[in-house]
Amino acid sequence: MTTITTQTITFNVFRFNSETDYLPYYKKVEMEVTSEEVVLDILNRIKWEVDGSFSYRRSCRHGICGACAIKVNGKGVLACKERMNDLIELFGTELTLEPLSIKRAVKDMIIDKEDFWVKHEAIEPYLISHIEEHPEMECAVTPAQAEALLDSDYCIQCGLCHYSCPVIEINDDFIGPAAFAKAYRFNADVRDDGIDERLDIINAPSAGVWDCVKCFECAEVCPKEVNPIEKITKLHNQIFEHGRAINNVATRHAVGFAHSIKKHGLLDEAELVRYSEGTLPMLMKHGKVGFKMFKVGKVVMPWNMPKSDKLDEVKALIKSSSTVKF
Ligand code: SF4
Ligand code: SF4
Ligand code: FES
């Protein structure tokens, strides 16, 4: 039999009403929390027992609708799935409840997700297919072909990855992990004919996949294990495979990275910057830092670049795993 335990927890609750408040504020609420409760129980209790005007979204209570996503101590969670015990173990007995994005707060935990939907729509999240008007047989998808979608269709559009992504915070153009995962979902569908069209959208400078900094936060936070960064990497490959790559810093960085690993089994950081940015821009932009790094041995001259003693193994690995020829 499981024993139910109780602890006193202090919550700092984000409060803001965009219609009446100039600035947001935090209200302290102390509560006895049982080991059986999830975050949504706490939101309900704040509304029912403390302040009826407290606002948040929820619907299914089963991790299906994606409505209840918020942040607790900066960690994105689905309130109806996240157990209080786990959060207390992670952060202790003082917890801050905030909306997914403070700058988009409308009322308390409720945010305006317009940018999320606009970006989602921008990647054409539907089958683009030249359908026969009178087909003679159904368009069957084999289990193996369905496998290629790689969980990308499990997304419940909760926005947790989007509003945890550091690039979204600083670059309004960036399409974002959820929309990229959705673009992959349709690109990988054998019935779709819109792959090149979609690749051109997600290949755009500043908005596209090349601006992802590969922090893996989107994979970490996703409650459905969609793993958007995995799909972003697949999209990088599709861009090359379909000949849609544009010669720019981002694509040269990808090519230079692969060349360096193939040649040395290690990353030649100085050469990678030179290859990606060009010799003169590199010297003008990074000359000073490069010289300092050189002095302390952080970068070496090309002729002094060491080689991995496992170079043959690395080469074999690259050969067996590469899907793209640059
Ligand atoms: S891995 Fe890329 S898309 Fe995912 S959160 Fe980080 S920067 Fe954003
Ligand atoms: S990919 Fe995951 S975290 Fe992102 S919106 Fe979809 S379900 Fe939510
Ligand atoms: S209420 Fe639907 S996912 Fe939480």
Side-chain angles (χ1 to χ4, degrees), residues 129-139:
S129 197
H130 312 304
I131 291 169
E132 283 283 328
E133 227 175 288
H134 303 290
E136 284 176 13
M137 56 192 296
E138 66 186 316
C139 179

Side-chain angles (χ1 to χ4, degrees), residues 79-94:
C80 68
K81 294 289 285 179
E82 194 74 20
R83 285 159 39 90
M84 284 306 301
N85 252 9
D86 294 339
L87 288 173
I88 295 165
E89 203 178 303
L90 195 61
F91 297 119
T93 53
E94 182 155 344

Side-chain angles (χ1 to χ4, degrees), residues 116 155-161 178 222-224 226 228:
F116 177 84
C155 175
I156 55 170
Q157 299 173 332
C158 63
L160 276 167
C161 59
C222 177
K224 295 293 165 186
V226 170

Side-chain angles (χ1 to χ4, degrees), residues 123 175 180 183 198-204 207-210 235 239:
I123 54 90
I175 292 172
F180 288 143
R198 231 176 264 110
L199 286 175
D200 287 344
I201 298 167
I202 59 106
N203 193 20
V209 284
W210 301 106
L235 291 172
I239 287 170

Side-chain angles (χ1 to χ4, degrees), residues 15 27-31 44-54:
R15 303 299 310 266
K27 185 150 173 72
K28 258 196 195 329
V29 176
E30 220 162 73
M31 266 185 186
N44 287 337
R45 285 176 58 199
I46 294 173
K47 187 170 183 72
W48 297 337
E49 296 167 17
V50 181
D51 182 348
S53 72
F54 178 59

Side-chain angles (χ1 to χ4, degrees), residues 4 6 19 53 75 80-81 84 88 98 106 117 152 155 160 163 183 187 191 200 211 225 243 274 297 321:
I4 299 173
T6 305
E19 288 184 354
S53 72
K75 173 181 153 59
C80 68
K81 294 289 285 179
M84 284 306 301
I88 295 165
E98 288 171 321
V106 176
W117 298 117
S152 54
C155 175
L160 276 167
Y163 296 113
N187 282 1
R191 298 163 299 177
D200 287 344
D211 277 63
E225 304 198 2
R274 193 203 63 75
S321 62

Side-chain angles (χ1 to χ4, degrees), residues 160-168 174-178 180 209 211-221 227-230 232:
L160 276 167
C161 59
H162 188 84
Y163 296 113
S164 301
C165 170
V167 183
I168 287 287
F174 189 58
I175 292 172
F180 288 143
V209 284
D211 277 63
C212 161
V213 297
K214 302 182 181 67
C215 66
F216 279 70
E217 189 59 32
C218 51
E220 178 74 22
V221 81
N227 196 351
I229 179 61
E230 179 196 31
I232 290 170

